[in-house]
Amino acid sequence: AILSTVLQGLDGTRLYRYAVAVAPFYATLAEAELFRSLLNCDLILSAGKLLWYTAFSLLATACDYAIYKYLSRFRVGRYGSADLGTLYLQNKLEGGRGLESIFEELAETTSVKPVVIRGGELLLIHTDVHYGPFTNLGSSTLPKTIHEEFSPRGLTPMVLHGMGSHERNLPTTRLAEDFATLISELAGKAARKQLYHGCFTLKGEAVWEIKGLVFTDVALLFISRPFMGIDDLPYNLQVYIDKISAEKNLGTVILVDSHNWERTEKPDVTALEKLLDKSIDEIERIREKPGVDVAVRVACRECSVPGVIDGTSCIAEIRGVDGRDPFVLAYFRGNNMAPGARDRVM
């Protein structure tokens, strides 16, 4: 049963592939029975018995190798699917990181633009990379590593999920650790003081919703799709907004995939682009108001909730020192939220 499950998982679920999974077992039984019958024949001498034993052993090995080669006909780079399946199972069962050598071999170099916004003990961190692929591989643990980097200093990092999916994963945990160090250095550098101009909420077609947080040179657009959900929006949306913000001299505009409702239907990206255009207009409108210093309150607690990594949850309130436009951000370190959980939290 285990062999059937593994082979189906590696090679796709087809009825005839169950035969591939069980054939070695029953072929071995048949060979053993034939071997036993031949050994019981008085006409076969001892040397002949050894020859038959060797022949059947080679036949069993050849059958096993033929199945392995058949499974390996699908390849990723120079690695066959059987080898990939072995490394995947090693990761799942033992936490092995052998898959990272494949990721590193296939990885491409690209530019990223991390941003750290600090207010008091709060750090809003946009890494511009994706947190994947899974378990302890690549940049899957990057948010946790960043948390461990800043927590001993009495700081509360909220690591935001930007645009893009697994094509923006870091290939190895070593690079993820180096990247966390880079984020730490970035947070420690003196930067231009950001004044708070305000926040806004926009709702558009296909139940898209954007909540904007606007500072002097930086704006954060938190994207949600209540009732239908989202999961890893395409990175070309960030490229699209970068182009517009550069043309209008708006500074840095960061899109955040709020991951607050597990996706139930494929998103209408065209409708989202229309709402992003309106968000740009809203940023310009809000920046017409004079900016003020930022007031921040943060509270975190440990909570035993399924899906929340290490049981860490935080809530932050951001507003102007004059009391303007309070913006409350609830942060759960995890991957997504069950349908309806967002509304219950709010």
Side-chain angles (χ1 to χ4, degrees):
I2 292 175
L3 185 59
S4 298
T5 301
V6 171
L7 292 180
Q8 293 283 341
L10 294 178
D11 210 33
T13 52
R14 296 290 187 276
L15 186 60
Y16 76 89
R17 287 177 181 147
Y18 282 102
V20 175
V22 300
F25 174 72
Y26 288 108
T28 301
L29 287 181
E31 292 166 9
E33 180 62 25
L34 179 60
F35 181 50
R36 185 186 64 79
S37 299
L38 291 172
L39 288 181
N40 288 335
C41 179
D42 293 335
L43 296 178
I44 300 180
L45 302 176
S46 297
K49 292 180 181 180
L50 180 60
L51 181 62
W52 278 108
Y53 175 78
T54 303
F56 283 122
S57 297
L58 290 174
L59 179 61
T61 302
C63 288
D64 217 26
Y65 183 71
I67 292 172
Y68 164 77
K69 293 298 289 183
Y70 176 74
L71 291 174
S72 297
R73 69 193 188 281
F74 298 116
R75 309 189 70 79
V76 177
R78 59 188 178 91
Y79 296 91
S81 54
D83 299 323
L84 293 173
T86 299
L87 293 172
Y88 176 79
L89 288 174
Q90 287 175 352
N91 174 257
K92 288 298 182 182
L93 297 175
E94 303 171 356
R97 291 193 170 106
L99 279 170
E100 289 191 340
S101 60
I102 301 175
F103 298 154
E104 191 165 27
E105 184 175 317
L106 300 175
E108 299 178 353
T109 301
T110 188
S111 61
V112 294
K113 296 173 287 185
V115 174
V116 179
I117 303 173
R118 179 170 180 175
E121 68 178 89
L122 175 66
L123 296 173
L124 297 178
I125 299 174
H126 175 250
T127 62
D128 202 27
V129 303
H130 184 260
Y131 312 121
F134 44 77
T135 57
N136 62 340
L137 299 178
S139 45
S140 298
T141 59
L142 182 58
K144 181 178 180 179
T145 305
I146 290 175
H147 180 79
E148 293 170 347
E149 185 81 27
F150 289 107
S151 292
R153 310 181 204 174
L155 300 173
T156 303
M158 292 189 175
V159 184
L160 308 176
H161 189 299
M163 299 295 99
S165 187
H166 294 287
E167 78 279 359
R168 296 188 70 78
N169 291 339
L170 297 175
T172 67
T173 49
R174 175 183 55 80
L175 282 176
E177 291 168 356
D178 292 344
F179 197 84
T181 302
L182 184 149
I183 293 293
S184 177
E185 294 172 354
L186 184 63
K189 290 181 179 178
R192 179 178 172 181
K193 182 178 180 180
Q194 296 293 312
L195 298 178
Y196 183 61
H197 291 264
C199 63
F200 64 87
T201 298
L202 292 177
K203 296 183 179 182
E205 301 172 7
V207 299
W208 287 111
E209 181 177 306
I210 291 178
K211 294 186 180 294
L213 193 57
V214 184
F215 299 96
T216 306
D217 298 318
V218 182
L220 297 169
L221 302 181
F222 293 85
I223 303 171
S224 301
R225 196 173 70 134
F227 309 108
M228 293 186 181
I230 50 178
D231 188 12
D232 293 353
L233 292 167
Y235 193 77
N236 58 18
L237 289 171
Q238 183 63 60
V239 175
Y240 173 74
I241 214 71
D242 285 346
K243 180 175 181 295
I244 295 176
S245 58
E247 290 172 351
K248 293 179 174 287
N249 197 28
L250 295 179
T252 301
V253 179
I254 297 169
L255 304 185
V256 179
D257 183 341
S258 297
H259 262 59
N260 55 19
W261 198 297
E262 190 174 14
R263 195 179 86 170
T264 58
E265 294 182 21
K266 186 177 180 180
D268 182 352
V269 177
T270 302
L272 176 57
E273 289 177 349
K274 293 178 182 178
L275 196 60
L276 288 173
D277 290 337
K278 293 181 181 178
S279 297
I280 292 295
D281 296 336
E282 200 67 12
I283 292 171
E284 291 180 309
R285 183 188 67 80
I286 287 181
R287 280 188 178 154
E288 292 175 356
K289 298 184 294 184
V292 296
D293 287 338
V294 186
V296 177
R297 294 191 296 169
V298 184
C300 294
R301 62 173 296 180
E302 300 298 318
C303 60
S304 179
V305 179
V308 177
I309 300 172
D310 292 343
T312 301
S313 62
C314 298
I315 188 168
E317 181 192 31
I318 302 168
R319 66 167 71 206
V321 291
D322 58 359
R324 75 169 68 170
D325 291 5
F327 184 98
V328 177
L329 182 63
Y331 176 75
F332 300 89
R333 200 146 52 86
N335 186 39
N336 217 321
M337 297 184 76
R342 167 187 180 269
D343 287 2
R344 292 194 296 274
V345 169
M346 291 176 67

